[in-house]
Amino acid sequence: MDSNHVYLFNGFFFLVIFFLVVGTVLSADKNYEACVTANCGNGPNISYPFWINDIQNSTCGFPGFELSCKSREPILTMSGEEYIIRDIVYGNESFTIVKAGLANDICSPPSYKLSFSHLPFRYVATSVNLSVFFNCTGLPSSEYSRYLLGCGTAEPTNRPRNSSVALFSDDPMLRSVREIGKCDNSVVIPVDKIGNGSLDTFLSREYVAEFLNEGFHLRWTASRCDECAESGGRCGFDFDRYKFICFCTDRPHHRRCNNGKYVKDRSLVFTLFETNQYPV
Ligand SMILES: *[C@@H]1O[C@H](CO)[C@@H](O)[C@H](O)[C@H]1NC(C)=O
Ligand SMILES: *[C@@H]1O[C@H](CO)[C@@H](O)[C@H](O)[C@H]1NC(C)=O
Ligand SMILES: *[C@@H]1O[C@H](CO)[C@@H](O)[C@H](O)[C@H]1NC(C)=O
Ligand SMILES: *[C@@H]1O[C@H](CO)[C@@H](O)[C@H](O)[C@H]1NC(C)=O
Ligand SMILES: *[C@@H]1O[C@H](CO)[C@@H](O)[C@H](O)[C@H]1NC(C)=O
Ligand SMILES: *[C@@H]1O[C@H](CO)[C@@H](O)[C@H](O)[C@H]1NC(C)=O
Ligand SMILES: *[C@@H]1O[C@H](CO)[C@@H](O)[C@H](O)[C@H]1NC(C)=O
């Protein structure tokens, strides 16, 4: 080889090395890239501790926070029932959910089988249960008229069915409805208490339907993301260590991104780059 060829060969060789090194350093870590915030089209943006199946990797969330997309809405499945996520407040670890597929009418009773025993969720302080009883025949109208929902009272059959009633769980009358109501069935619906007002508000059919459609708040429990997010990372879960992990542009870290490390890697690249300018 003459000197020109040697020069070209060396130049090419160093160029390849250069792109390999730069490529490694500048293309962000795969885990980091996989955990970019996503959404279902409608509804809130989803990031740690929640993750969307089919869109994000399970390593991007915390166990128990798997969501799916249905009709462009983020769906959380609990106790076999689907709930639409309306809002997520990452700052105070709370979110609002509404039962999916609710008939917009309390008179066709919804079912709620919600149980958090194995889930990282809990009710908030303002949660209250709304108990709805259907087709009661044992309630004297004078005392219970304010709880009446007005569900199909005209019953041209042999059995008088005149009243479906709704009461909040802290209402002292709840007990007697249970005892003397003779109701066909009942459901317990979690709702948010409104303001600090008394809950024995007159419960019309429309008012209760509004409660259902407003949904209710829950709080969650998972390792907090703040420290990692503030250091430029994306939070996730390491299933090998079964622990929180912080995905950073360079590589995964335990709690937060190590910026010093990143700077050191960059300076290494620039040194190599300068050397390559003048191949021997
Ligand atoms: C997705 O998660 C699996 C483990 O659940 C992991 O093996 C894989 O590398 C992850 N993929 C990406 C792109 O992060
Ligand atoms: C989701 O994130 C995008 C990009 O940051 C932002 O423009 C949008 O307003 C966010 N949507 C919601 C519902 O917060
Ligand atoms: C969380 O913050 C939001 C918005 O600031 C607020 O509406 C909600 O009540 C808070 N939830 C809890 C449980 O503190
Ligand atoms: C509502 O009822 C369920 C069970 O029916 C119970 O687990 C939950 O703690 C109740 N919530 C409130 C706020 O009383
Ligand atoms: C109430 O009774 C009516 C008439 O028998 C029936 O069609 C309806 O399904 C009942 N509602 C409930 C919630 O059981
Ligand atoms: C329901 O009907 C029964 C018998 O017709 C009546 O005694 C009772 O007062 C009625 N209750 C309500 C809440 O209207
Ligand atoms: C409750 O509401 C009343 C007015 O309806 C208000 O004066 C009072 O400050 C409220 N109390 C709390 C603790 O928010």
Side-chain angles (χ1 to χ4, degrees):
M1 281 192 215
D2 60 34
S3 64
N4 256 356
H5 278 104
V6 169
Y7 178 84
L8 275 179
F9 176 77
N10 279 346
F12 176 74
F13 177 73
F14 281 113
L15 215 60
V16 167
I17 297 280
F18 169 71
F19 279 117
L20 277 179
V21 173
V22 168
T24 317
V25 173
L26 294 190
S27 82
D29 182 74
K30 275 195 188 61
N31 295 292
Y32 174 85
E33 290 191 330
C35 295
V36 66
T37 298
N39 62 55
C40 291
N42 294 329
N45 286 331
I46 308 297
S47 59
Y48 175 95
F50 294 96
W51 62 282
I52 312 175
N53 197 351
D54 291 338
I55 297 184
Q56 290 160 320
N57 201 326
S58 61
T59 54
C60 301
F62 212 74
F65 290 79
E66 175 178 353
L67 306 181
S68 57
C69 289
K70 259 194 195 166
S71 311
R72 299 170 62 80
E73 305 275 7
I75 302 288
L76 174 66
T77 304
M78 294 185 288
S79 312
E81 297 177 337
E82 295 182 343
Y83 293 84
I84 300 167
I85 303 225
R86 280 283 159 79
D87 188 32
I88 302 177
V89 182
Y90 291 97
N92 62 15
E93 304 178 306
S94 74
F95 61 116
T96 310
I97 57 173
V98 176
K99 183 106 199 293
L102 275 184
N104 200 8
D105 184 4
I106 185 60
C107 298
S108 50
S111 87
Y112 287 79
K113 298 191 210 99
L114 213 46
S115 147
F116 299 138
S117 51
H118 300 293
L119 298 173
F121 308 123
R122 62 188 188 280
Y123 290 107
V124 301
T126 52
S127 296
V128 63
N129 279 327
L130 181 67
S131 294
V132 188
F133 298 85
F134 298 93
N135 289 345
C136 308
T137 54
L139 302 174
S141 58
S142 52
E143 285 165 60
Y144 294 92
S145 58
R146 67 198 176 102
Y147 302 114
L148 282 176
L149 289 172
C151 298
T153 46
E155 256 306 304
T157 57
N158 46 1
R159 197 176 151 204
R161 296 167 186 277
N162 49 4
S163 47
S164 292
V165 296
L167 298 83
F168 287 106
S169 51
D170 58 354
D171 195 305
M173 299 292 261
L174 183 61
R175 204 175 144 183
S176 54
V177 173
R178 283 211 184 94
E179 282 167 3
I180 65 165
K182 299 200 181 81
C183 309
D184 272 0
N185 61 11
S186 66
V187 296
V188 175
I189 303 168
V191 297
D192 278 352
K193 196 183 275 186
I194 293 177
N196 67 0
S198 151
L199 291 176
D200 62 356
T201 328
F202 176 74
L203 289 163
S204 74
R205 190 169 167 175
E206 292 75 25
Y207 186 59
V208 170
E210 209 168 289
F211 263 115
L212 296 192
N213 289 305
E214 295 264 308
F216 53 100
H217 280 81
L218 293 178
R219 295 192 66 114
W220 74 70
T221 308
S223 302
R224 287 197 65 99
C225 185
D226 314 48
E227 201 190 343
C228 171
E230 277 160 21
S231 71
R234 291 175 183 155
C235 299
F237 196 79
D238 180 353
F239 284 88
D240 294 334
R241 287 162 55 239
Y242 215 75
K243 264 190 178 145
F244 174 88
I245 194 166
C246 182
F247 296 123
C248 304
T249 50
D250 59 347
R251 63 185 180 83
H253 294 254
H254 283 200
R255 304 292 324 167
R256 66 193 315 277
C257 300
N258 181 346
N259 292 319
K261 175 96 180 164
Y262 179 68
V263 170
K264 193 166 137 224
D265 280 348
R266 270 174 74 99
S267 65
L268 176 76
V269 172
F270 289 127
T271 314
L272 203 64
F273 179 74
E274 276 153 24
T275 319
N276 292 352
Q277 292 300 289
Y278 309 102
V280 203

